[in-house]
Amino acid sequence: MSNELLEIDELRVGFDGFLALDGLSLTIGDGELRFIIGPNGAGKTTLLDVATGLTRPTAGSVRFDGAEIAKLAEHKIVRRGIGRTFQNATVFDALTVSENLDLAASSHRRWGLLRPPALSGELESLLEDVGLAQVAHDPAGSLSHGQRSWLEIAMLLAQRPRLLLLDEPVAGMSKAERAATGELLVEIASQRTVVVIEHDMEFVRQFAEHVSVLHAGGLLREGSVAEVQADPEVQRLYLAPDHGDEASDTDEALDANELTAATAR
Amino acid sequence: MEQLATQLFIGLSIGAVLLMVAVGLSVTFGQMNVINMAHGEFIMIGAYSAYVTQAVLGEDLAGWSFLTALPVAFVAAGVIGVLVEHLLIRRLHGRVLDTLLATWGVAIILQQAARDIFGAPNVQLMRPEALQGGITLAGVNMPFTRLTILGLAVGVVVLLALMIDRLPHGRRMRAVLQNRDLAEARGVNTSRVDRVTFFVGSGLAGLAGVAVTLLGPVGPSVGTLYLVDAFLIVIVGGLGHLRGAVVAAFALGVLNTFVEFSTSATLARAAVLLMVPVVMSGFEVSLLTRFLALAILAVGLDLAWGYGGMLSLGHGLFFGLGAYAMAMHLKLEAAGRDMPDFMVWSGRSELPWWWEPFRNAGFATAMALLLPAAVAAAMGYFVFRNRIRGAYFAILTQATVVVFTILLVGYQGYTGGSNGLTDLETMFGLDLGAVSTQRLLYFVTAGALVAVYLLARQLVRSRWGRLLIAVRDTEDRVRFLGYNPVAIKVVAFALSAALAGLGGALFVPVVGIVAPEMLGAVASIEMVIWVALGGRGSLVGAILGALLVNYAQFTISSVFPAGWSYAQGALLVVVIVAAPLGLVGLLRSARGRFDSRIVPTLATKER
């Protein structure tokens, strides 16, 4: 077993008396590809928010590579090697695609910041990989929804983090786009540690090995996809038999709910 | 002791006026997220409503005019408020800073209209007979007028609190305040609620205007006097919090009278001297040089606002620090071995120690750049670290520049007071009045502008410049790329301030004077207007804006003084509503139509 990269211990997060996370403990091993699922309000996004400094925990600890990070500023956590994407892909609309990517790759630079953006060969091929080379000089604001998500993933890769946290990377994507994203994730996971929050069960079944199920701010089950699916309690809560493939429509409705909740905060 | 108590009482009554202004501001901001810069003008409308009411009722009914004026003023201010809301503010929904600027345009127009209708001098209303005199309690003289104002304010706040608490509209207001989208989804007609709230808020300012007429003469710009204070109250008291506003208003009112009480002597002496006439020979050259110096400031302001999204309504402060640093050197040069003249007049016998190093030209020049940068960096660090941005930041900068001018005026013996530093005759031994010197200054300033433009262009095109835009649009996302937005913004703001200081330092030798009014709250907003008109987010736009607006101001106001205010106000409204990216934005989109290329539409984005 590889050593632990991210250790979450007895994490508690409250918003105005409501506990979004209630004593969650979870560990992610180095080099793992982990899927986190759970019904709405289970605390999945809150977990990501705490791990990246966006939300401060009420109690408990978050250790990355052995060091406590729960009280660090967002950008300092990023510099330690944790990168994330957001539920609604956020890129810089006023900048071009290549400028977006270049900025993502440049946070370690000092005087280099005073030079104009320039794509290295590595970044160029990254753009090729996500199929955005054609639109490299268009403003990111003109991209389609799927393209924005891909750009955000490319930016995350350009940051070269040790741990990648992706919040519903395939939400709103077409079937073909989902498949391509899944393959990309598996490929990334061969070199980095990846945590994916996902709603889309078909996607999870297809690409996940190790799954953690969150419920009501705590960890409900952990195991392989098959184990988790076989668990009666998980089935009752989340994987109702009729909740299968055609669930994506309702999923998106739920996503929208979560989104408004996030902006309201 | 008795004098103290009397002062205290006067302070309370001023606090009462401020309170009526501030609660209106507070509810409109709290509910609609609108910073209404024209709110002060509703006070003015209220005051003139009282004036008109008295004129209509005639002398026989003068005793009733105060009571009659209250509903008249409430409705007049309320109706105009609703018009502004309906015609302008509604259309700019969600664009807080744009609303701020556009309503500033409305304020300019309303003020000029009052000037044209009622004349520029203040008007004095007859005091109702019933309110003559007063009572003396424990040695404290309490005029009935001020007691009435106190009563009026208390009544207004109680009624408003009851309305918010009990009436259906109040319930809807609270619903909209808490969650606009949800309220709308539940069937609350939010635009109607907005309209009613705006009517009430504006009407309250109108009532304050009637109250003001009891205190003394009123003029077209009476509103601006109270607006900045009202903003402070709203901030200090907490937005949308009635109770906080009450406490803050009275505290500030009391504070105000004490400060004014102790500096009234300086203020009186300040009005003695007039501006030194600008040298006529080589006049056009010096005029242009002046505009070029202001254009340097505009480039700086554009970096902060257009690129960085930091709308500063206080760049006069940085301009002023640069200008004063240079002016202190010139003043010492002019005084030679003597003390600067104004210090002698103030009865000082020794040069303050911190004036001494400004004898050195190099030190003064360095300070003109470093001082604004340091102040901006310190201010920016505390403000940005606490994630204060948008309208809050704008108001904070405005408040800072107000404090700065108060200090300048208050410490006459150190700063020349409201006269400023005058009679600056030579620079590095050259006669500033000579045509040759004016020419030289022109070349120096033009050279500086070119250098500043090239530097800024380089920066804007660099990664840092792109990051600044990224911070402007989506600050939080930048953190997750591993950058600290605070550092980026502090550097940008400090640089912007340094450029403003440079502009100030170059401005001073051309005009031969620096005075607080050149860099006060109003001047600071005018600086923003240049950039808005020329085109924010475009360096050429900022320069063009500064040159064109100042040239237009000079030509129009010398021929037709009132015309300038209308033109400036109207232009501001039109640009914000119709062309948020200014002249350059218009040119670009015209060209874009020919190219049939997609022009990124950042325009409607909140900066």
Tab-separated table of all heavy atoms in Angstrom, chain B residues 456-496:
chain	number	residue	atom	x	y	z
B	456	ALA	N	3.315	51.203	-19.334
B	456	ALA	CA	2.015	50.618	-19.002
B	456	ALA	C	1.606	49.596	-20.046
B	456	ALA	O	1.061	48.541	-19.730
B	456	ALA	CB	0.957	51.719	-18.883
B	457	ARG	N	1.889	49.905	-21.315
B	457	ARG	CA	1.509	48.974	-22.373
B	457	ARG	C	2.255	47.657	-22.206
B	457	ARG	O	1.700	46.570	-22.351
B	457	ARG	CB	1.797	49.586	-23.741
B	457	ARG	CG	1.073	48.866	-24.858
B	457	ARG	CD	1.350	49.476	-26.193
B	457	ARG	NE	2.778	49.414	-26.501
B	457	ARG	CZ	3.270	49.572	-27.728
B	457	ARG	NH1	2.462	49.839	-28.730
B	457	ARG	NH2	4.566	49.504	-27.951
B	458	GLN	N	3.555	47.788	-21.900
B	458	GLN	CA	4.365	46.592	-21.689
B	458	GLN	C	3.777	45.750	-20.539
B	458	GLN	O	3.647	44.534	-20.644
B	458	GLN	CB	5.799	47.037	-21.355
B	458	GLN	CG	6.830	45.973	-21.588
B	458	GLN	CD	6.819	45.511	-23.047
B	458	GLN	OE1	6.585	46.315	-23.948
B	458	GLN	NE2	7.015	44.228	-23.263
B	459	LEU	N	3.435	46.434	-19.474
B	459	LEU	CA	2.900	45.745	-18.299
B	459	LEU	C	1.571	45.058	-18.600
B	459	LEU	O	1.337	43.915	-18.228
B	459	LEU	CB	2.693	46.737	-17.151
B	459	LEU	CG	3.929	47.040	-16.322
B	459	LEU	CD1	3.599	48.091	-15.286
B	459	LEU	CD2	4.424	45.764	-15.648
B	460	VAL	N	0.710	45.781	-19.298
B	460	VAL	CA	-0.622	45.261	-19.569
B	460	VAL	C	-0.545	44.009	-20.445
B	460	VAL	O	-1.340	43.090	-20.299
B	460	VAL	CB	-1.464	46.361	-20.249
B	460	VAL	CG1	-2.680	45.766	-20.904
B	460	VAL	CG2	-1.877	47.400	-19.236
B	461	ARG	N	0.457	43.991	-21.316
B	461	ARG	CA	0.585	42.838	-22.206
B	461	ARG	C	1.330	41.679	-21.554
B	461	ARG	O	1.358	40.580	-22.108
B	461	ARG	CB	1.336	43.251	-23.472
B	461	ARG	CG	0.500	44.167	-24.332
B	461	ARG	CD	1.248	44.583	-25.555
B	461	ARG	NE	0.415	45.413	-26.421
B	461	ARG	CZ	0.831	45.953	-27.541
B	461	ARG	NH1	2.074	45.741	-27.950
B	461	ARG	NH2	0.022	46.684	-28.268
B	462	SER	N	1.948	41.942	-20.413
B	462	SER	CA	2.712	40.874	-19.766
B	462	SER	C	1.774	39.910	-19.033
B	462	SER	O	0.565	40.145	-18.939
B	462	SER	CB	3.692	41.480	-18.761
B	462	SER	OG	2.976	41.937	-17.627
B	463	ARG	N	2.347	38.848	-18.527
B	463	ARG	CA	1.564	37.902	-17.731
B	463	ARG	C	0.913	38.615	-16.562
B	463	ARG	O	-0.223	38.352	-16.213
B	463	ARG	CB	2.477	36.798	-17.177
B	463	ARG	CG	2.975	35.868	-18.247
B	463	ARG	CD	3.628	34.651	-17.614
B	463	ARG	NE	3.935	33.682	-18.640
B	463	ARG	CZ	5.160	33.422	-19.071
B	463	ARG	NH1	6.190	34.057	-18.556
B	463	ARG	NH2	5.350	32.530	-20.012
B	464	TRP	N	1.688	39.540	-15.971
B	464	TRP	CA	1.162	40.274	-14.821
B	464	TRP	C	-0.091	41.058	-15.203
B	464	TRP	O	-1.080	41.072	-14.475
B	464	TRP	CB	2.250	41.217	-14.287
B	464	TRP	CG	1.848	41.975	-13.085
B	464	TRP	CD1	1.892	41.551	-11.797
B	464	TRP	CD2	1.310	43.290	-13.044
B	464	TRP	NE1	1.417	42.529	-10.968
B	464	TRP	CE2	1.060	43.601	-11.697
B	464	TRP	CE3	1.014	44.254	-14.035
B	464	TRP	CZ2	0.532	44.837	-11.299
B	464	TRP	CZ3	0.485	45.476	-13.635
B	464	TRP	CH2	0.253	45.754	-12.276
B	465	GLY	N	-0.032	41.674	-16.379
B	465	GLY	CA	-1.185	42.430	-16.851
B	465	GLY	C	-2.386	41.536	-17.103
B	465	GLY	O	-3.531	41.883	-16.787
B	466	ARG	N	-2.124	40.358	-17.670
B	466	ARG	CA	-3.213	39.405	-17.909
B	466	ARG	C	-3.807	38.937	-16.574
B	466	ARG	O	-4.999	38.773	-16.431
B	466	ARG	CB	-2.702	38.192	-18.695
B	466	ARG	CG	-2.057	38.507	-20.025
B	466	ARG	CD	-3.087	38.918	-21.049
B	466	ARG	NE	-3.106	40.369	-21.219
B	466	ARG	CZ	-3.967	41.014	-21.978
B	466	ARG	NH1	-4.880	40.373	-22.656
B	466	ARG	NH2	-3.924	42.323	-22.071
B	467	LEU	N	-2.892	38.745	-15.608
B	467	LEU	CA	-3.359	38.333	-14.275
B	467	LEU	C	-4.245	39.393	-13.648
B	467	LEU	O	-5.242	39.090	-12.997
B	467	LEU	CB	-2.156	38.124	-13.353
B	467	LEU	CG	-1.631	36.717	-13.187
B	467	LEU	CD1	-0.418	36.732	-12.286
B	467	LEU	CD2	-2.711	35.819	-12.599
B	468	LEU	N	-3.860	40.645	-13.883
B	468	LEU	CA	-4.633	41.752	-13.321
B	468	LEU	C	-6.059	41.703	-13.861
B	468	LEU	O	-7.030	41.879	-13.122
B	468	LEU	CB	-3.952	43.068	-13.698
B	468	LEU	CG	-4.419	44.333	-12.995
B	468	LEU	CD1	-4.282	44.210	-11.497
B	468	LEU	CD2	-3.618	45.534	-13.498
B	469	ILE	N	-6.181	41.447	-15.152
B	469	ILE	CA	-7.518	41.326	-15.758
B	469	ILE	C	-8.253	40.123	-15.162
B	469	ILE	O	-9.444	40.194	-14.853
B	469	ILE	CB	-7.395	41.186	-17.290
B	469	ILE	CG1	-6.869	42.486	-17.880
B	469	ILE	CG2	-8.736	40.820	-17.906
B	469	ILE	CD1	-6.623	42.427	-19.352
B	470	ALA	N	-7.508	39.037	-14.987
B	470	ALA	CA	-8.117	37.841	-14.395
B	470	ALA	C	-8.623	38.135	-12.988
B	470	ALA	O	-9.721	37.715	-12.612
B	470	ALA	CB	-7.096	36.703	-14.364
B	471	VAL	N	-7.846	38.890	-12.236
B	471	VAL	CA	-8.252	39.255	-10.875
B	471	VAL	C	-9.491	40.139	-10.923
B	471	VAL	O	-10.410	40.000	-10.123
B	471	VAL	CB	-7.105	39.980	-10.141
B	471	VAL	CG1	-7.606	40.604	-8.852
B	471	VAL	CG2	-5.969	39.024	-9.858
B	472	ARG	N	-9.514	41.047	-11.894
B	472	ARG	CA	-10.652	41.944	-12.028
B	472	ARG	C	-11.939	41.154	-12.235
B	472	ARG	O	-12.961	41.428	-11.603
B	472	ARG	CB	-10.423	42.872	-13.234
B	472	ARG	CG	-11.610	43.753	-13.584
B	472	ARG	CD	-11.420	44.390	-14.941
B	472	ARG	NE	-11.644	43.430	-16.016
B	472	ARG	CZ	-11.324	43.655	-17.284
B	472	ARG	NH1	-10.730	44.774	-17.633
B	472	ARG	NH2	-11.577	42.748	-18.203
B	473	ASP	N	-11.879	40.150	-13.109
B	473	ASP	CA	-13.098	39.446	-13.485
B	473	ASP	C	-13.462	38.328	-12.514
B	473	ASP	O	-14.631	38.113	-12.220
B	473	ASP	CB	-12.955	38.867	-14.901
B	473	ASP	CG	-12.930	39.970	-15.934
B	473	ASP	OD1	-13.308	41.104	-15.585
B	473	ASP	OD2	-12.518	39.707	-17.071
B	474	THR	N	-12.472	37.580	-12.066
B	474	THR	CA	-12.752	36.406	-11.227
B	474	THR	C	-11.643	36.269	-10.194
B	474	THR	O	-10.819	35.367	-10.275
B	474	THR	CB	-12.799	35.122	-12.084
B	474	THR	OG1	-13.131	35.449	-13.422
B	474	THR	CG2	-13.811	34.137	-11.535
B	475	GLU	N	-11.661	37.162	-9.223
B	475	GLU	CA	-10.552	37.206	-8.266
B	475	GLU	C	-10.327	35.876	-7.555
B	475	GLU	O	-9.197	35.423	-7.405
B	475	GLU	CB	-10.815	38.312	-7.240
B	475	GLU	CG	-9.739	38.359	-6.164
B	475	GLU	CD	-9.838	39.602	-5.294
B	475	GLU	OE1	-10.448	40.591	-5.739
B	475	GLU	OE2	-9.309	39.567	-4.185
B	476	ASP	N	-11.425	35.242	-7.145
B	476	ASP	CA	-11.268	34.028	-6.344
B	476	ASP	C	-10.631	32.893	-7.132
B	476	ASP	O	-9.882	32.095	-6.588
B	476	ASP	CB	-12.623	33.591	-5.787
B	476	ASP	CG	-13.120	34.580	-4.742
B	476	ASP	OD1	-12.258	35.098	-4.011
B	476	ASP	OD2	-14.325	34.827	-4.681
B	477	ARG	N	-10.931	32.853	-8.432
B	477	ARG	CA	-10.372	31.767	-9.238
B	477	ARG	C	-8.854	31.876	-9.312
B	477	ARG	O	-8.163	30.859	-9.396
B	477	ARG	CB	-10.984	31.826	-10.645
B	477	ARG	CG	-10.630	30.641	-11.525
B	477	ARG	CD	-11.237	29.367	-10.972
B	477	ARG	NE	-10.939	28.198	-11.796
B	477	ARG	CZ	-9.858	27.431	-11.640
B	477	ARG	NH1	-8.978	27.727	-10.716
B	477	ARG	NH2	-9.671	26.377	-12.416
B	478	VAL	N	-8.350	33.127	-9.299
B	478	VAL	CA	-6.908	33.335	-9.422
B	478	VAL	C	-6.157	32.671	-8.264
B	478	VAL	O	-5.072	32.130	-8.449
B	478	VAL	CB	-6.602	34.853	-9.474
B	478	VAL	CG1	-5.109	35.101	-9.453
B	478	VAL	CG2	-7.230	35.464	-10.709
B	479	ARG	N	-6.788	32.688	-7.085
B	479	ARG	CA	-6.145	32.053	-5.930
B	479	ARG	C	-5.868	30.577	-6.209
B	479	ARG	O	-4.868	30.029	-5.778
B	479	ARG	CB	-7.041	32.134	-4.699
B	479	ARG	CG	-7.371	33.533	-4.272
B	479	ARG	CD	-8.353	33.508	-3.101
B	479	ARG	NE	-8.985	34.805	-2.967
B	479	ARG	CZ	-8.439	35.813	-2.314
B	479	ARG	NH1	-7.278	35.649	-1.729
B	479	ARG	NH2	-9.043	36.977	-2.249
B	480	PHE	N	-6.784	29.954	-6.924
B	480	PHE	CA	-6.656	28.512	-7.132
B	480	PHE	C	-5.708	28.171	-8.271
B	480	PHE	O	-5.553	27.022	-8.641
B	480	PHE	CB	-8.040	27.886	-7.338
B	480	PHE	CG	-8.872	27.990	-6.098
B	480	PHE	CD1	-9.860	28.952	-5.986
B	480	PHE	CD2	-8.616	27.169	-5.019
B	480	PHE	CE1	-10.595	29.072	-4.821
B	480	PHE	CE2	-9.342	27.279	-3.853
B	480	PHE	CZ	-10.330	28.229	-3.749
B	481	LEU	N	-5.095	29.224	-8.847
B	481	LEU	CA	-3.985	28.957	-9.759
B	481	LEU	C	-2.671	29.148	-9.008
B	481	LEU	O	-1.594	29.056	-9.591
B	481	LEU	CB	-4.038	29.897	-10.955
B	481	LEU	CG	-5.219	29.724	-11.903
B	481	LEU	CD1	-5.046	30.629	-13.113
B	481	LEU	CD2	-5.345	28.284	-12.357
B	482	GLY	N	-2.751	29.472	-7.708
B	482	GLY	CA	-1.540	29.605	-6.909
B	482	GLY	C	-1.016	31.029	-6.820
B	482	GLY	O	0.109	31.244	-6.393
B	483	TYR	N	-1.822	32.013	-7.244
B	483	TYR	CA	-1.395	33.399	-7.107
B	483	TYR	C	-2.106	34.031	-5.923
B	483	TYR	O	-3.218	33.648	-5.589
B	483	TYR	CB	-1.751	34.202	-8.356
B	483	TYR	CG	-1.107	33.717	-9.618
B	483	TYR	CD1	-1.809	32.896	-10.496
B	483	TYR	CD2	0.189	34.092	-9.940
B	483	TYR	CE1	-1.235	32.452	-11.668
B	483	TYR	CE2	0.771	33.652	-11.117
B	483	TYR	CZ	0.056	32.832	-11.980
B	483	TYR	OH	0.623	32.395	-13.122
B	484	ASN	N	-1.434	35.028	-5.360
B	484	ASN	CA	-2.077	35.795	-4.304
B	484	ASN	C	-2.622	37.091	-4.901
B	484	ASN	O	-1.856	38.005	-5.205
B	484	ASN	CB	-1.059	36.104	-3.209
B	484	ASN	CG	-1.697	36.805	-2.039
B	484	ASN	OD1	-2.916	37.015	-2.022
B	484	ASN	ND2	-0.898	37.179	-1.065
B	485	PRO	N	-3.945	37.192	-5.070
B	485	PRO	CA	-4.507	38.384	-5.707
B	485	PRO	C	-4.192	39.660	-4.933
B	485	PRO	O	-4.091	40.732	-5.522
B	485	PRO	CB	-6.019	38.124	-5.697
B	485	PRO	CG	-6.197	36.711	-5.342
B	485	PRO	CD	-4.969	36.236	-4.659
B	486	VAL	N	-4.031	39.519	-3.605
B	486	VAL	CA	-3.738	40.701	-2.798
B	486	VAL	C	-2.443	41.350	-3.291
B	486	VAL	O	-2.378	42.567	-3.489
B	486	VAL	CB	-3.617	40.327	-1.309
B	486	VAL	CG1	-3.238	41.546	-0.486
B	486	VAL	CG2	-4.929	39.735	-0.812
B	487	ALA	N	-1.420	40.530	-3.520
B	487	ALA	CA	-0.136	41.063	-3.967
B	487	ALA	C	-0.283	41.742	-5.332
B	487	ALA	O	0.226	42.839	-5.550
B	487	ALA	CB	0.891	39.943	-4.039
B	488	ILE	N	-1.006	41.082	-6.224
B	488	ILE	CA	-1.183	41.640	-7.569
B	488	ILE	C	-1.880	42.993	-7.495
B	488	ILE	O	-1.473	43.972	-8.122
B	488	ILE	CB	-2.002	40.670	-8.436
B	488	ILE	CG1	-1.256	39.342	-8.578
B	488	ILE	CG2	-2.281	41.271	-9.805
B	488	ILE	CD1	-2.108	38.221	-9.119
B	489	LYS	N	-2.927	43.052	-6.682
B	489	LYS	CA	-3.692	44.296	-6.602
B	489	LYS	C	-2.918	45.395	-5.900
B	489	LYS	O	-2.976	46.557	-6.301
B	489	LYS	CB	-5.020	44.037	-5.867
B	489	LYS	CG	-6.007	43.254	-6.716
B	489	LYS	CD	-7.190	42.787	-5.896
B	489	LYS	CE	-8.288	43.803	-5.869
B	489	LYS	NZ	-9.507	43.227	-5.238
B	490	VAL	N	-2.196	45.025	-4.839
B	490	VAL	CA	-1.432	46.047	-4.115
B	490	VAL	C	-0.404	46.680	-5.049
B	490	VAL	O	-0.264	47.907	-5.107
B	490	VAL	CB	-0.745	45.442	-2.870
B	490	VAL	CG1	0.320	46.380	-2.339
B	490	VAL	CG2	-1.772	45.154	-1.791
B	491	VAL	N	0.306	45.837	-5.808
B	491	VAL	CA	1.308	46.374	-6.732
B	491	VAL	C	0.636	47.279	-7.768
B	491	VAL	O	1.108	48.382	-8.046
B	491	VAL	CB	2.067	45.221	-7.429
B	491	VAL	CG1	2.931	45.758	-8.548
B	491	VAL	CG2	2.907	44.466	-6.418
B	492	ALA	N	-0.485	46.825	-8.311
B	492	ALA	CA	-1.170	47.619	-9.333
B	492	ALA	C	-1.648	48.948	-8.759
B	492	ALA	O	-1.504	49.996	-9.394
B	492	ALA	CB	-2.359	46.838	-9.898
B	493	PHE	N	-2.182	48.894	-7.568
B	493	PHE	CA	-2.718	50.113	-6.966
B	493	PHE	C	-1.586	51.087	-6.631
B	493	PHE	O	-1.699	52.292	-6.848
B	493	PHE	CB	-3.528	49.760	-5.709
B	493	PHE	CG	-4.411	50.861	-5.226
B	493	PHE	CD1	-5.301	51.484	-6.084
B	493	PHE	CD2	-4.357	51.285	-3.915
B	493	PHE	CE1	-6.122	52.510	-5.642
B	493	PHE	CE2	-5.177	52.314	-3.469
B	493	PHE	CZ	-6.063	52.929	-4.334
B	494	ALA	N	-0.477	50.541	-6.120
B	494	ALA	CA	0.664	51.392	-5.778
B	494	ALA	C	1.241	52.031	-7.039
B	494	ALA	O	1.565	53.223	-7.059
B	494	ALA	CB	1.728	50.578	-5.052
B	495	LEU	N	1.348	51.238	-8.103
B	495	LEU	CA	1.864	51.770	-9.363
B	495	LEU	C	0.940	52.866	-9.883
B	495	LEU	O	1.379	53.940	-10.317
B	495	LEU	CB	1.980	50.641	-10.385
B	495	LEU	CG	2.455	51.053	-11.765
B	495	LEU	CD1	3.893	51.542	-11.683
B	495	LEU	CD2	2.351	49.903	-12.740
B	496	SER	N	-0.352	52.575	-9.817
B	496	SER	CA	-1.342	53.551	-10.251
B	496	SER	C	-1.197	54.851	-9.473
B	496	SER	O	-1.250	55.956	-10.038
B	496	SER	CB	-2.736	52.945	-10.048
B	496	SER	OG	-3.720	53.912	-10.239
